[in-house]
Amino acid sequence: GINAEYMGSAVGQPLFSAVWFPRSQRALSTSILFFATVLGGGVGFILAPLMVQKPEDTPKLLTVQAIIGTCACALALLIPAKPPTPPSRSSEMAQFHLPTKFFSDIKTMIRQPQFLLLLGGFAGGFAILNTVAITSNDIFNKFSYTNIQIGIIGSGTVFCGMFGCVFISIIADKLNKFKGTLVIVNSLTGAAMAILYIMLTPDNFWIVVSCVFTAGFFGLSSFPVAYEVGCEVLYPVHEAVTTGVMTVMAQWLSIILTTLEYYVVTDKTLVPAGAAILYFVVVVCFASFNGDLKRRALDDQQVSSPTVMIVHR
């Protein structure tokens, strides 16, 4: 049930942005929605230890979570399905789309090598960051960092990622340089991982913090941008199908990479070094990507009547 809720929020972010925002604001909207999900999860990690002191307190925590989730869903019901005036040509043309055909859309994705390159970079970056996050306690405990220090690292990474999502998405939207943005931010994330491995000692706490914050700022910010690019490349495939497949593949790769790390890597301090190497593969995927931004091209077109632009699969 929890995974279904996460998947629903993930696939709905670019769709909401496409319906409600013009092309110059879509990446920013998706970034804010993306990180709202991450921030909500972070609040959950803080709430659980505060409320659960013994096993008998677990139902109380679940009740509070259910109340919060129900209230959020109730507020969402107040949002109309679409704005009175479509903000873009692609939003206007969405009403003319043929019904979604899932298996046909999957075939379209498989036959799109540019999308597969994008998917490889997105899923790889997601899996790498997730594996490092899961292993972080093992890494930092080996150097006798206190719980307060580890808490500073964790919470600071979340907030740096939040600001990174907003900042990077604004740049990508304004400059219309999505490929370059993905290459640069993932290169900087890989460099931060490499420096983290080199400087990972008990006496370099604030240098370590800087490296982790940098990785969070740039690493997390690439995900909503990649979501937007995926929707652009596969247009007119429905945004929910595109982001759903991207999220599922990223989750599966994350499970595989985390499992390999758990059974193969005995010295957890080597994880940042491995992450830096794997980020090179991610950067190569994004650098090799050369897909067309079809939805933006549609928004640039001027037509006299909406019916002229009916989209066929």
Side-chain angles (χ1 to χ4, degrees), residues 141-169:
N141 282 332
K142 183 173 182 178
F143 294 98
S144 301
Y145 288 156
T146 66
N147 289 335
I148 294 177
Q149 289 176 316
I150 295 176
I152 291 173
I153 293 173
S155 59
T157 303
V158 170
F159 282 104
C160 284
M162 178 176 64
F163 291 122
C165 282
V166 175
F167 179 74
I168 297 300
S169 63

Side-chain angles (χ1 to χ4, degrees), residues 219-263:
L220 289 172
S221 65
S222 72
F223 301 149
V225 175
Y227 273 143
E228 282 297 306
V229 177
C231 293
E232 294 282 348
V233 172
L234 290 178
Y235 186 82
V237 173
H238 199 282
E239 288 87 354
V241 177
T242 301
T243 54
V245 169
M246 292 176 69
T247 303
V248 169
M249 294 305 297
Q251 294 281 7
W252 274 108
L253 185 57
S254 180
I255 292 172
I256 293 172
L257 192 59
T258 303
T259 303
L260 288 174
E261 177 275 324
Y262 181 81
Y263 287 105

Side-chain angles (χ1 to χ4, degrees), residues 73-132:
C73 290
L75 291 175
L77 293 175
L78 301 177
I79 302 176
K82 58 183 179 180
T85 303
S88 65
R89 178 64 64 184
S90 58
S91 176
E92 182 181 5
M93 296 313 303
Q95 60 184 306
F96 297 105
H97 280 182
L98 297 176
T100 298
K101 297 180 179 179
F102 180 76
F103 292 105
S104 176
D105 291 339
I106 295 298
K107 290 180 181 178
T108 300
M109 295 178 186
I110 295 174
R111 294 169 182 169
Q112 285 271 8
Q114 295 301 322
F115 174 73
L116 296 179
L117 283 171
L118 178 74
L119 179 61
F122 169 81
F126 184 97
I128 295 168
L129 275 188
N130 193 51
T131 301
V132 173

Side-chain angles (χ1 to χ4, degrees), residues 35 73 162 190 206 217 235 260 268 294:
F35 212 83
C73 290
M162 178 176 64
W206 290 109
F217 183 92
Y235 186 82
L260 288 174
K268 303 305 179 184
K294 301 175 184 177

